[in-house]
Amino acid sequence: MKMTKQKLFSPFLFFLLMLIDGQITRFLLAASQDQYIWRAHLTLLTMLFAARYLPKYYLILVALVIGSLFDLYFIGLLGIYAVAFPLVIWLVYLLHGTLYENYFNLFFGFVILLTVFEVVIVVIQLLFNLITVDPTYFITRLLGPSLLLNMLFLIIGFYPLKKIYWKN
């Protein structure tokens, strides 16, 4: 796929994955009867793969737009995901050389970036007194299940995403 086709195709894929993320998250939240918060981050996973091929400022801008849409559609408050998505994508580009060195670096880098993403979301909400959260609750009921779910998505989606976004 040529660079221009990927630049045109990617925002639509990210938007579709954003909608799927929200639906998976709501389904798993209802299935666990609000005991655990399983947040799906297929959009972030796909952006991680796209960062190897797409230009830095283009993907950060797309992440800002997708984050803003995510905020408006699912939260109703602009700013949480609009800050978190571009920040994590910026970190991806900072760690670009290390992340794509081998598959283990990519896997553990994704785990670390996903943890940073979740922590940034909670910190922003705490700064504006939108939530109160116990650290034990955050780690065991939100971060743990989200990491497990998204590691599974990484394992399942690795080869299809590699085929779409990586030249070699």
Side-chain angles (χ1 to χ4, degrees):
M1 193 181 292
K2 289 188 174 185
M3 177 74 118
T4 56
K5 287 183 182 178
Q6 279 187 326
K7 283 175 95 173
L8 293 173
F9 167 74
S10 292
F12 296 110
L13 177 63
F14 298 151
F15 180 74
L16 177 66
L17 290 173
M18 177 198 74
L19 296 175
I20 292 170
D21 282 348
Q23 297 308 314
I24 291 172
T25 299
R26 289 182 195 258
F27 172 76
L28 292 174
L29 186 62
S32 71
Q33 299 172 347
D34 296 335
Q35 292 295 316
Y36 296 97
I37 302 171
W38 302 79
R39 287 188 185 162
H41 295 297
L42 292 170
T43 309
L44 188 63
L45 173 64
T46 306
M47 285 182 177
L48 174 70
F49 277 82
R52 182 164 184 201
Y53 193 63
L54 295 176
K56 178 180 180 179
Y57 295 110
Y58 173 77
L59 192 56
I60 290 174
L61 180 64
V62 170
L64 176 67
V65 171
I66 293 294
S68 299
L69 290 172
F70 200 97
D71 281 337
L72 293 173
Y73 187 72
F74 291 110
I75 299 176
L77 180 66
L78 186 61
I80 297 168
Y81 284 91
V83 170
F85 268 117
L87 178 66
V88 170
I89 297 303
W90 176 71
L91 286 173
V92 167
Y93 281 104
L94 274 177
L95 302 171
H96 199 269
T98 306
L99 272 178
Y100 302 110
E101 203 170 278
N102 60 43
Y103 301 130
F104 292 111
N105 285 5
L106 184 67
F107 180 82
F108 290 114
F110 177 66
V111 171
I112 291 167
L113 290 167
L114 188 61
T115 303
V116 168
F117 186 72
E118 291 290 348
V119 168
V120 166
I121 290 169
V122 169
V123 166
I124 291 171
Q125 291 175 347
L126 286 171
L127 284 174
F128 292 103
N129 293 323
L130 298 173
I131 61 167
T132 56
V133 68
D134 176 36
T136 305
Y137 178 85
F138 170 72
I139 292 169
T140 59
R141 303 284 174 117
L142 191 147
L143 186 60
S146 295
L147 285 174
L148 286 174
L149 177 66
N150 288 291
M151 282 190 274
L152 178 69
F153 287 153
L154 176 61
I155 291 167
I156 291 169
F158 180 80
Y159 287 105
L161 290 171
K162 183 180 174 189
K163 189 82 168 161
I164 293 172
Y165 283 108
W166 291 6
K167 290 185 226 180
N168 43 351

